Amino acid sequence: TGSFGHSAPSVSRLATLSLSPGPPMRSLDTAVLRLREASRRATAALPTALQRWQRPASLVLQTVPAPHGDAPPEAANPAVLRRALVDAIAWLGPLPVQIWAGPEGASEVALELVRVAHRLGCPTELRCDGQGIDRLACIALVDAGLARARIVFADNDHVDDALDAIRALTGVRVDRRTRLSIVAEASWTSDLADHVAVLAQQAAQAGADEVVVAPPWHAHAIAGADAALTTLQNDSPAGLLGVAALVQSVSRAQATNDGRPGLPRTDRCPVASTRVAVSPGGTVCACPFLSPAGALSLDGPSLDALWRAAGAHREQIARCDRSCPHPALGGPKPTGGSTTNPRQSA
């Protein structure tokens, strides 16, 4: 990036930083993560004319509408989602794939996407709330090649479904002798905030490898910085991840003096080089809170072509001056300032 007047940590510098005492693989993983993050920041800082060459690092396939935005519900089009997967691999090679299935984690659509992604060499994660994930569904998913299951505690109504899914996945993992990774994620919403510590303990006891607390997608749904958050900071259950990021995200979600959600940011958002998402009906985007990049169909342009033509979408991301409340999109810690916000919602 030096030829464009931008700087990023050098490979040798990042390698030096990674050689701190600790398990060798952890140091190596840290070095890789830092290198990837530096690459994304450097790419996001490129002049606008060059941003069309940005390449997303992961693919999100949604079999149900994502929990954000105001678009009308879409019925899942399995053929379009399969084309998105094949196009992405032809364009970028095997890459991490996350399948958002919500209450339909056991659906045939989700199972088929897991199977195809695995056969094409992609590490695949299924994100769902646990409904329908019984032993038979777990066997089918594991045999299809699922690498990671993320069970989300989204509300009080489906806590038992989530815990039952974690137990079923744990049992099948043992029976099949697979390396399936199981993650439990609790959303920091008003109806769950007081129970996060208990949910974390129950999820760990059920067999989850990681338990993460995270904010919901919409800032208006996030629980505040109340006594429950203070307690979580001071006395969080052993192994609970994401507390520090949650504290930052809660502060980002609070209204600023201009009445808009999220804190201002002064650098460019890296989301365009982090992910590309395809909705159930084929709508393509990197940031779900802005106008989409295009629509994928069976007889239309490829995912690669849509992305290269999505200059307006990338330009909106480049102009965005807000740090998202959600860590999956939020990027670096904000540093002050206050301007207008082009986001439709956050």
Side-chain angles (χ1 to χ4, degrees):
T1 58
S3 59
F4 298 110
H6 302 283
S7 62
S10 66
V11 173
S12 59
R13 173 61 176 158
L14 290 173
T16 301
L17 291 173
S18 72
L19 295 178
S20 56
M25 287 307 297
R26 180 172 297 177
S27 297
L28 179 59
D29 290 344
T30 301
V32 171
L33 289 174
R34 289 182 178 179
L35 283 167
R36 289 176 177 171
E37 187 67 13
S39 175
R40 291 170 187 166
R41 303 289 177 218
T43 305
L46 289 174
T48 303
L50 297 176
Q51 289 179 15
R52 68 189 299 263
W53 304 108
Q54 283 177 302
R55 292 188 171 196
S58 65
L59 174 67
V60 177
L61 299 174
Q62 302 165 2
T63 66
V64 296
H68 48 64
D70 301 317
E74 298 176 288
N77 188 328
V80 169
L81 293 175
R82 282 196 300 270
R83 180 185 177 180
L85 178 57
V86 173
D87 282 358
I89 295 171
W91 171 27
L92 302 166
L95 76 172
V97 174
Q98 187 180 70
I99 298 166
W100 288 24
E104 300 178 9
S107 69
E108 286 296 326
V109 176
L111 178 61
E112 179 65 15
L113 290 174
V114 170
R115 181 181 293 111
V116 174
H118 173 67
R119 288 178 177 175
L120 294 176
C122 299
T124 306
E125 175 181 302
L126 176 67
R127 178 189 176 95
C128 65
D129 65 7
Q131 294 185 64
I133 304 295
D134 56 16
R135 180 174 174 78
L136 291 178
C138 292
I139 291 174
L141 288 167
V142 168
D143 289 350
L146 184 66
R148 187 180 183 93
R150 182 177 294 269
I151 307 299
V152 180
F153 295 93
D155 53 56
N156 274 322
D157 294 337
H158 301 293
V159 167
D160 289 339
D161 292 321
L163 290 172
D164 288 345
I166 293 171
R167 295 186 188 101
L169 287 163
T170 302
V172 171
R173 176 172 62 182
V174 172
D175 293 345
R176 286 294 198 264
R177 298 181 181 181
T178 180
R179 295 183 178 180
L180 174 71
S181 174
I182 304 171
V183 179
E185 180 180 305
S187 293
W188 189 256
T189 55
S190 57
D191 61 339
L192 285 180
D194 292 333
H195 313 296
V196 163
V198 174
L199 289 176
Q201 293 172 342
Q202 291 178 330
Q205 291 170 358
D209 303 308
E210 296 179 10
V211 185
V212 182
V213 59
W217 282 90
H218 277 302
H220 65 73
I222 196 170
D226 53 13
L229 184 57
T230 302
T231 301
L232 198 65
Q233 284 182 267
N234 298 332
D235 190 24
S236 60
L240 179 62
L241 304 176
V243 176
L246 174 68
V247 172
Q248 187 180 83
S249 296
V250 170
S251 69
R252 289 175 180 177
Q254 305 303 313
T256 57
N257 56 10
D258 61 3
R260 307 305 294 267
L263 294 178
R265 68 185 304 145
T266 56
D267 58 339
R268 287 186 175 180
C269 177
V271 72
S273 56
T274 300
R275 70 197 289 272
V276 59
V278 182
S279 76
T283 300
V284 177
C285 72
C287 175
F289 301 115
L290 300 173
S291 301
L296 188 68
S297 63
L298 292 180
D299 54 358
S302 67
L303 185 62
D304 181 8
L306 285 174
W307 184 257
R308 292 185 185 278
H313 185 67
R314 289 193 300 275
E315 181 63 27
Q316 289 182 69
I317 293 172
R319 291 200 313 266
C320 181
D321 66 343
R322 292 294 166 144
S323 223
C324 299
H326 199 281
L329 301 177
K333 182 177 180 180
T335 56
S338 180
T339 55
T340 57
N341 181 14
R343 289 187 181 276
Q344 294 174 338
S345 61

